[in-house]
Amino acid sequence: MTKKLWIGGSVVLILAATGALVYANHQAELYVAAQIKDANQQYKELAELGEMPPFQLAYQDLSANVLTSHYKVHGLSLSIDGIGTIASIGLVDLKGLKLSGMPSQSSARLEGIQIADTVLQGLAPDLAAYLQQLKMGLNYQYQYDAHLGELNFSQQLLVQDKLEFSYQFSLGGMQPLWQYAEELQKLSPEQQQQQAEQANYLPQLMQKVGQASLIKGKLQIDNHQFWQELTAAFAKAGLSANFATLQSLMLAQLDDNPELPDAIRQPLQQFIQQPDQLSLSFEFAEPVSFASMQDGSAMQGIESTEQLLEKSGFVLEASTH
């Protein structure tokens, strides 16, 4: 009898926990839906003030998992009143998102980004068809180390399997700015707007931005015939020169700038001649604050481009697939 009661009690607890999780997920879904609704209301108010076009967001479905902080929005579309849909996103996949507070790490993945045909009206039919069939993707992620005060973030822009543009940066001294962002995040949208309208808002924000520093970064382009195809589509429509002509013009521009260091000139020449991959990376021996960049003190003692490249650990490389 005791065993049966124990099993029965366990089942009740499991069902209760499952029910609570389902309820929490449902509440989170309602919260995300409310955020989209609020965003549309803000777009409407700003449009009425003439500060932006009358944008509207719509979606087909959304789901939330509070346990894993995982949220998905399917069939998201962006439209303008009187024009119609201008862009659509097949999937918005968010991880690490919190309904309150600033998560120390988070990521976003957007799949199936497409330009709507309404935007392409007026273009040559072949060019419009080419642009309309392109599907883009966007991946973004960040991680904040509160102990070190370092923020690492990266992003990738994908155009099908034809082009990838990515970057990643590491910032130091982020504690003041992060704490300020956390305080703002606790406010309601109305309170945030009121805060932004205060005379001391921008000076305070820029002071905290100035305390942050740049440690290292990397940017990379991987081209798989996309630029050639895009140029050909625009050239066919009479809106651009062909790719070979553009290559010649860009190479001529390099020749017209003899003061450009070889560390920059040679990789650029190689990439223009065979545009497969180009990467730029840098890493400072000592982090450089944004305040010192703004007031010019970061350039103290640097008298040439070569010295700047050496101090920043600048490396530009071109390679072939």
Side-chain angles (χ1 to χ4, degrees):
M1 184 67 175
T2 304
K3 184 177 182 180
K4 289 182 179 180
L5 288 174
W6 183 85
I7 294 174
S10 298
V11 171
V12 170
L13 287 174
I14 292 172
L15 290 175
T18 302
L21 182 58
V22 171
Y23 175 77
N25 289 343
H26 177 64
Q27 291 300 113
E29 291 170 4
L30 293 177
Y31 175 83
V32 174
Q35 292 298 304
I36 295 175
K37 183 178 179 181
D38 289 344
N40 283 333
Q41 181 60 32
Q42 291 180 32
Y43 294 157
K44 180 180 178 181
E45 293 172 357
L46 291 172
E48 290 173 349
L49 295 173
E51 297 182 6
M52 65 179 294
F55 289 120
Q56 286 289 298
L57 291 171
Y59 62 91
Q60 295 177 356
D61 185 36
L62 60 85
S63 61
N65 189 322
V66 177
L67 196 62
T68 59
S69 299
H70 194 177
Y71 303 83
K72 293 183 179 181
V73 181
H74 298 269
L76 186 68
S77 62
L78 177 65
S79 62
I80 297 179
D81 291 347
I83 296 177
T85 301
I86 60 172
S88 61
I89 305 174
L91 172 66
V92 179
D93 189 343
L94 306 173
K95 293 182 179 179
L97 182 67
K98 289 185 177 181
L99 302 185
S100 63
M102 294 274 289
S104 60
Q105 59 182 16
S106 184
S107 66
R109 177 168 57 93
L110 282 65
E111 293 183 354
I113 305 172
Q114 281 186 286
I115 303 172
D117 54 5
T118 53
V119 179
L120 304 173
Q121 292 178 0
L123 294 178
D126 287 348
L127 177 59
Y130 173 75
L131 295 175
Q132 207 279 325
Q133 59 86 34
L134 291 176
K135 289 188 177 182
M136 294 171 283
L138 188 66
N139 299 321
Y140 174 81
Q141 59 184 359
Y142 76 82
Q143 184 171 8
Y144 175 64
D145 187 321
H147 178 68
L148 297 176
E150 288 187 6
L151 176 66
N152 297 289
F153 62 95
S154 62
Q155 182 170 312
Q156 292 176 303
L157 172 64
L158 307 168
V159 183
Q160 298 178 163
D161 58 349
K162 298 180 181 296
L163 179 73
E164 177 181 343
F165 171 69
S166 61
Y167 68 78
Q168 54 190 45
F169 292 100
S170 295
L171 306 179
M174 286 292 296
Q175 293 98 329
L177 184 59
W178 191 267
Q179 184 178 355
Y180 190 59
E182 285 185 320
E183 293 171 355
L184 287 177
Q185 204 274 338
K186 295 175 183 177
L187 303 177
S188 66
E190 293 77 14
Q191 291 173 323
Q192 290 180 20
Q193 181 64 31
Q194 293 173 1
Q195 181 76 8
E197 293 172 355
Q198 298 297 315
N200 62 348
Y201 170 75
L202 191 57
Q204 285 183 354
L205 178 61
M206 294 309 299
Q207 180 187 26
K208 290 171 172 46
V209 170
Q211 291 175 279
S213 58
L214 186 58
I215 300 174
K216 62 181 178 180
K218 182 177 182 178
L219 299 90
Q220 183 165 306
I221 298 171
D222 283 282
N223 176 51
H224 298 273
Q225 295 296 312
F226 174 72
W227 283 351
Q228 293 91 322
E229 291 181 5
L230 184 66
T231 304
F234 274 89
K236 185 178 180 180
L239 300 175
S240 168
N242 61 41
F243 189 73
T245 300
L246 293 176
Q247 281 181 306
S248 299
L249 291 172
M250 288 186 286
L251 289 171
Q253 285 290 327
L254 288 179
D255 291 338
D256 289 340
N257 290 276
E259 71 282 359
L260 204 61
D262 288 341
I264 297 176
R265 176 191 305 279
Q266 292 177 359
L268 286 179
Q269 286 178 332
Q270 182 180 342
F271 181 69
I272 292 171
Q273 291 167 347
Q274 189 167 349
D276 288 348
Q277 184 183 91
L278 183 69
S279 66
L280 183 159
S281 62
F282 62 89
E283 183 170 4
F284 294 97
E286 294 290 336
V288 179
S289 71
F290 289 106
S292 67
M293 295 182 193
Q294 185 176 16
D295 63 23
S297 59
M299 297 294 291
Q300 188 174 0
I302 298 177
E303 300 179 355
S304 67
T305 304
E306 287 78 6
Q307 288 179 328
L308 176 61
L309 298 182
E310 183 179 357
K311 179 178 179 179
S312 63
F314 177 95
V315 176
L316 185 65
E317 294 180 314
S319 58
T320 58
H321 294 138

